[in-house]
Amino acid sequence: MTVASPLTWLYAPGDRPRVVAKALVSGADVVVIDLEDAVAPDRKAYARAACAELLCDPQPVPVHVRVNALTGPWGEADLAAVAPAGGLAGLAGLRLPKVSSPADIVRVARQAVSAHGGPLGLYALLETALGIERAHDVATAHPALRGISIGEEDLRTDLGVRDDAGLDWSRSRVVVAARAAGLVPPTQSVHPDIRDLDGLRASCARGRALGFLGRAAIHPRQLPVIERAYLPTQEEIERAETVVKAAAGEQGAQALPDGRFVDAAVVTAAQRVLSLARRT
């Protein structure tokens, strides 16, 4: 199952099945069952087993699983449980943390298959300076890779960044790498304060300006804010419709009555706005 232009990705801890069940009906475009940071070491085995049991059956929305890092003690067991040889009917993708080289992607792609027999969609989380430096190499590592994004808390720690603006260069690098590789735009990392909806709204506006599309969330109350921030406004839709209509009536560059200059790049941008508005 896929969702056209997903904007919201809701994390739920794998060792709390009731929370996962609520996430599945929260309205999120994609639910991410977390076996990594949200699960304590002594709960890893239980989370893995509960996740695999749930995903034996189809789910109402696409479900991804964030496994533990393959360089650690739990990653291989996670893959064996949630991405077995025959695939699981309810699993739409794997989110791979702490990816630092193309080899990490190739390694998983060789063993992770979907329930339909093809490769399972993989999503790389770049959380170290080395991962950011190799962003384009990772993004082009294997056809099974569907997207890349940043794990900002880990990256902030690795870089010793004290101000949020200190991550902007890394954010832009990942946006450019995704585009150059022909992938969808990256999703923003989570906003950790679930009560700070104004801060979330402002942060989403900043992410959208940088070229991100959609955002991961850790609580359902964040979902409407993220969706509104990333969907085009009515004014943006109307402006885009004006551009596309003008382009359909006359070929080549032209000026609109309001003074805006329209060329092929402007038309392409307008078409993207309308496509997102339709969520296609």
Side-chain angles (χ1 to χ4, degrees):
M1 179 190 298
T2 59
V3 172
S5 302
L7 298 180
T8 52
W9 311 67
L10 180 60
Y11 276 89
D15 63 337
R16 299 177 65 185
R18 292 179 64 182
V19 175
V20 173
K22 290 180 179 179
L24 291 170
V25 294
S26 66
D29 293 329
V30 180
V31 169
V32 183
I33 300 178
D34 191 12
L35 301 182
E36 194 205 16
D37 289 344
V39 180
D42 63 350
R43 300 274 290 175
K44 297 289 188 184
Y46 170 71
R48 186 183 305 126
C51 179
E53 181 179 4
L54 173 72
L55 296 178
C56 284
D57 299 316
Q59 298 302 313
V61 297
V63 176
H64 293 189
V65 174
R66 180 167 72 172
V67 297
N68 285 275
L70 299 184
T71 54
W74 303 295
E76 290 293 348
D78 288 348
L79 285 180
V82 304
L88 293 177
L91 182 63
L94 289 176
R95 299 183 77 81
L96 309 177
K98 299 176 176 60
V99 172
S100 61
S101 77
D104 297 336
I105 304 301
V106 174
R107 176 183 175 188
V108 177
R110 286 174 175 167
Q111 67 183 91
V113 298
S114 74
H116 305 292
L120 192 62
L122 305 180
Y123 297 79
L125 298 173
L126 308 180
E127 304 180 83
T128 64
L130 184 58
I132 296 297
E133 279 296 300
R134 293 174 171 172
H136 185 258
D137 292 338
V138 170
T140 55
H142 195 278
L145 189 74
R146 302 287 188 265
I148 59 174
S149 57
I150 299 177
E152 291 195 353
E153 287 303 314
D154 285 277
L155 181 60
R156 184 177 283 109
T157 298
D158 191 42
L159 297 178
V161 170
R162 298 184 180 182
D163 188 289
D164 187 68
L167 292 178
D168 279 354
W169 183 87
S170 298
R171 291 164 175 155
S172 293
R173 183 175 179 87
V174 170
V175 169
V176 171
R179 179 61 181 165
L183 301 176
V184 296
T187 58
Q188 273 189 282
S189 188
V190 299
H191 186 72
D193 188 342
I194 63 173
R195 298 181 182 87
D196 181 23
L197 298 184
D198 288 338
L200 172 62
R201 189 175 295 107
S203 179
C204 287
R206 175 67 175 155
R208 187 181 179 197
L210 288 172
F212 286 84
L213 181 64
R215 186 165 201 161
I218 54 175
H219 194 282
R221 73 177 62 172
Q222 296 177 317
L223 301 178
V225 176
I226 295 170
E227 186 171 27
R228 283 196 299 269
Y230 272 99
L231 283 175
T233 65
Q234 187 59 39
E235 180 182 357
E236 289 171 332
I237 293 172
E238 291 172 357
R239 288 168 63 89
E241 288 174 340
T242 299
V243 168
V244 171
K245 182 178 180 180
E250 184 175 338
Q251 299 297 314
Q254 58 184 297
L256 298 179
D258 63 5
R260 283 181 293 158
F261 184 77
V262 175
D263 61 9
V266 174
V267 174
T268 297
Q271 290 169 335
R272 288 178 181 168
V273 168
L274 297 180
S275 178
L276 183 58
R278 296 188 295 265
R279 301 293 296 276
T280 58

